[in-house]
Amino acid sequence: MGVVVENKSSYCHQLMTCAADGSLLFWDTRPTKSAHQSQLTSVNKPVVLTVSNPLKQLDLTWKPILKVSVSHITGSGEFGPTKFSLAERHGDRSSIKQPDNDKEAGNLNRTVSMTGKKDQGKVLENIATMLFVGTESGDVVYMDWKLSKDSDSGKFTVSKPELVLAAHEGLVCVLQRSPFFKDILLSIGGWTFAIWKEGVSTGPLLESASFPVRLTAGAWSPTRPGVFFVTRADGNVDVWDLLDKSHEPSLTQNVTSALITSVNPYQVSSKQQLLSIGDNVGTLHIMEVPWNLRRPSVNEKNIIENFFEREVSRLKFVEERRKIRAKETVNNKENEKPKEKAQVDTKKLIDEQESEWEAKARQEYQNYLEMEKRFLEELGIREPDNDL
């Protein structure tokens, strides 16, 4: 529990959900050993439900095998998860040999459903267990769902999130990885959308300006790496083509007057791609994607990859400049202190010099008066003073 184990049967029996109590839940669809034994022993016994508690037989018959809390980095409290995105998923099993007949398939499914701990594979260590979680407050949380042993208590606990990004001003309604780039994600929430790259913590590669109406859903194109769809609350669908322009949508199509709740592109064939759109009044709209938005251009994947790499370099440059500016600010503050002290010392020195000059000038003036007095007495113009 809380570890990644090799799946020998190549059948997926586990699913993952998020709950409003701030937790991620892992479920296993296979019955437990005790439940299977009780089912075998009570095949012919009728189930008697009392009037006082008619749902007692269903109490805790299926509960999650693991519960992971999405807590804050600092302090107490938990986020309210609404969407999540895992890098490791149950892959394509079409290459695995399939059973030859229905009987063999039934026996295989029965064997797989009763697989116990003895039949489990080895523990896998080099599996990516990090995931992105979108919250109802608009944050995007990057955390590890794998349990780690606490050195103090010895218990297995969930680590604190590595990163919390203030992505949107409203509930995150879309958190989807690109089908062409495993580390590129599209998040939609509130009135904005953003494109993120796993491993880049300085900010989004691309972030839209605030729309006049709330965004409700979105999806990547299954055939073009640079195209994705964004739906709005006013019934419009924006088609963004990064090869064309990144500051505004390449195409806006009005679909309905109601609020759009979901959008999903589907590749029917090499010549046809459909876009299903659902609204809050229960109407399903099926639209055909035009040729230029479904067929990729030459080297489009490489061009979009280079575009993302340039954005990563831009974020690194901005972060380096921010650190340099912060360092310059600290140095300027440190340099201002000696300047202030020097200004105080200079003012004090000037005051002392002015006092000396004033005293010297006063003494010179006094000497001048005495010399004038003696000169007048020698000329007989002034009588000498009689000292008593």
Side-chain angles (χ1 to χ4, degrees):
M1 183 176 294
V3 296
V4 182
V5 181
E6 180 185 7
N7 186 3
K8 289 185 176 181
S9 65
S10 299
Y11 282 84
C12 183
H13 301 281
Q14 295 180 351
L15 56 94
M16 183 178 174
T17 62
C18 58
D21 62 349
S23 60
L24 302 174
L25 305 176
F26 293 79
W27 306 81
D28 198 318
T29 59
R30 292 170 292 185
T32 60
K33 187 176 181 180
S34 59
H36 182 71
Q37 289 178 350
S38 62
Q39 183 180 4
L40 293 177
T41 56
S42 60
V43 172
N44 298 324
K45 293 182 180 180
V47 178
V48 180
L49 300 179
T50 61
V51 179
S52 60
N53 192 3
L55 300 178
K56 185 177 181 180
Q57 298 294 332
L58 299 178
D59 185 25
L60 297 180
T61 56
W62 191 35
K63 55 184 178 180
I65 59 175
L66 179 63
K67 183 177 181 180
V68 177
S69 298
V70 186
S71 59
H72 293 275
I73 294 181
T74 58
S76 59
E78 298 172 343
F79 291 100
T82 57
K83 298 289 181 179
F84 58 87
S85 177
L86 285 167
E88 294 288 345
R89 300 175 63 89
H90 189 73
D92 183 17
R93 305 299 176 182
S94 58
S95 60
I96 299 177
K97 182 180 179 181
Q98 300 296 329
D100 296 334
N101 49 50
D102 295 340
K103 183 177 180 181
E104 185 179 354
N107 293 334
L108 179 59
N109 290 334
R110 192 177 302 108
T111 303
V112 169
S113 65
M114 291 307 301
T115 301
K117 293 183 178 179
K118 294 182 180 180
D119 298 329
Q120 289 182 354
K122 61 181 180 180
V123 177
L124 303 178
E125 298 294 340
N126 298 325
I127 297 296
T129 56
M130 303 297 295
L131 78 160
F132 285 89
V133 181
T135 67
E136 59 186 6
S137 59
D139 298 318
V140 174
V141 182
Y142 187 60
M143 60 175 294
D144 191 353
W145 64 263
K146 189 176 180 180
L147 301 181
S148 59
K149 190 174 183 179
D150 190 2
S151 58
D152 297 332
S153 62
K155 297 180 180 180
F156 285 91
T157 58
V158 181
S159 303
K160 292 284 187 179
E162 289 190 6
L163 189 64
V164 176
L165 302 167
H168 307 285
E169 295 296 331
L171 179 143
V172 177
C173 57
V174 174
L175 193 60
Q176 187 181 100
R177 292 181 184 266
S178 169
F180 298 93
F181 308 102
K182 194 176 181 180
D183 55 349
I184 298 296
L185 293 95
L186 170 67
S187 68
I188 300 177
W191 293 262
T192 59
F193 72 82
I195 296 178
W196 309 84
K197 181 179 177 64
E198 189 169 5
V200 178
S201 59
T202 52
L205 304 184
L206 178 66
E207 186 175 13
S208 70
S210 295
F211 285 81
V213 293
R214 185 167 55 88
L215 306 182
T216 57
W220 289 96
S221 170
T223 55
R224 287 198 54 188
V227 173
F228 56 93
F229 306 92
V230 178
T231 64
R232 307 191 314 209
D234 57 359
N236 290 329
V237 177
D238 292 335
V239 183
W240 289 76
D241 187 355
L242 298 181
L243 282 183
D244 183 20
K245 44 192 172 182
S246 59
H247 65 284
E248 63 180 2
S250 300
L251 176 66
T252 299
Q253 176 66 46
N254 181 263
V255 179
T256 176
S257 59
L259 184 146
I260 297 177
T261 57
S262 61
V263 59
N264 184 37
Y266 180 74
Q267 186 70 17
V268 180
S269 64
S270 60
K271 296 182 179 180
Q272 187 180 34
Q273 183 180 128
L274 300 179
L275 187 68
S276 60
I277 302 168
D279 57 31
N280 64 347
V281 296
T283 305
L284 176 63
H285 308 266
I286 304 296
M287 306 184 69
E288 185 172 359
V289 180
W291 176 83
N292 63 322
L293 293 177
R294 71 169 184 266
R295 183 173 180 179
S297 60
V298 180
N299 295 327
E300 179 174 346
K301 184 177 180 180
N302 294 332
I303 295 173
I304 296 300
E305 186 176 8
N306 293 333
F307 170 77
F308 290 147
E309 292 300 327
R310 288 195 302 270
E311 293 301 313
V312 172
S313 301
R314 178 185 63 83
L315 290 176
K316 289 181 179 179
F317 174 77
V318 172
E319 182 65 17
E320 290 176 358
R321 291 299 305 168
R322 187 188 66 81
K323 292 180 180 179
I324 293 174
R325 291 291 180 86
K327 188 176 180 180
E328 289 177 351
T329 303
V330 173
N331 293 335
N332 291 336
K333 289 183 178 180
E334 292 178 353
N335 294 333
E336 286 177 358
K337 294 180 180 179
K339 288 182 179 179
E340 293 177 357
K341 185 177 180 181
Q343 290 177 357
V344 173
D345 296 340
T346 303
K347 185 178 180 181
K348 185 178 180 181
L349 180 61
I350 292 174
D351 293 340
E352 292 177 354
Q353 290 179 352
E354 288 180 352
S355 300
E356 292 178 0
W357 292 341
E358 186 177 356
K360 186 177 180 180
R362 190 179 295 109
Q363 183 64 34
E364 290 179 353
Y365 181 69
Q366 190 67 27
N367 295 336
Y368 167 76
L369 292 178
E370 293 179 357
M371 184 179 64
E372 182 184 20
K373 179 182 177 183
R374 289 195 303 269
F375 180 73
L376 293 176
E377 289 177 352
E378 291 177 357
L379 294 177
I381 300 176
R382 179 177 177 176
E383 295 181 358
D385 295 335
N386 296 324
D387 297 332
L388 298 178

